[in-house]
Amino acid sequence: MRIALDAAQAAADAGETPVGAVVVDPATGEVVSVGANQPIGSHDPTAHAEIVALREAARKRGNYRLTGLTLVVTLEPCAMCAGAISHARIGRLVYGADDAKGGAVAHGPRFFEQPTCHSRPTVTGGVLAAESSAMLKAFFRARRAS
């Protein structure tokens, strides 16, 4: 999660919403990829941190199926990202702060609980949630003040 928080800070420094993600191979401890939010800078509405990390991991592995890998992200994934996590066959999802408004794992559609969901990761939420939440709140507080 510390690597994901560093990526979230890099996103904030670039003017993006501070969300970071990392794909890890739990069997070896290898950090396969790191992603930071970049939809503004890349002019790509799908460039959420999770999608960026999943794309890079798939490229490195030469396979869109990332079976058995763990995705760590600082904020509860949205519906788009939850769908990508499912399609990638991620084995475990770890996230920091809950997102009551835009989240789709513990909130909203609860994507992985839907009968049409093809692959469901094991989910652990709330890891370093206070740090993740504080970074997001500080970012938006600063934007409102300017």
Side-chain angles (χ1 to χ4, degrees):
M1 184 61 80
R2 292 278 173 213
I3 295 169
L5 283 165
D6 289 345
Q9 185 60 58
D13 293 345
E16 303 276 0
T17 301
V19 179
V22 59
V23 175
V24 178
D25 185 339
T28 64
E30 170 197 7
V31 172
V32 179
S33 64
V34 178
N37 251 14
Q38 51 185 281
I40 297 167
S42 67
H43 310 291
D44 179 357
T46 69
H48 290 194
E50 301 94 312
I51 302 295
V52 172
L54 290 172
R55 284 178 178 157
E56 179 63 13
R59 188 192 65 73
K60 282 184 175 177
R61 291 290 167 107
N63 194 336
Y64 76 97
R65 289 189 177 185
L66 303 173
T67 307
L69 299 183
T70 297
L71 176 66
V72 180
V73 61
T74 58
L75 182 66
E76 176 184 352
C78 69
M80 174 185 71
C81 292
I85 290 164
S86 177
H87 283 282
R89 313 300 200 270
I90 288 289
R92 181 172 183 223
L93 168 65
V94 177
Y95 70 88
D98 282 334
D99 186 354
K101 195 183 288 186
V105 176
H107 297 89
R110 297 180 186 252
F111 188 90
F112 300 123
E113 295 176 20
Q114 300 307 311
T116 55
C117 179
H118 298 292
S119 178
R120 295 168 179 81
T122 301
V123 177
T124 304
V127 176
L128 297 180
E131 288 183 49
S132 298
S133 180
M135 188 182 297
L136 285 156
K137 287 177 183 174
F139 176 81
F140 286 112
R141 190 175 317 115
R143 291 198 49 138
R144 283 190 297 274
S146 58

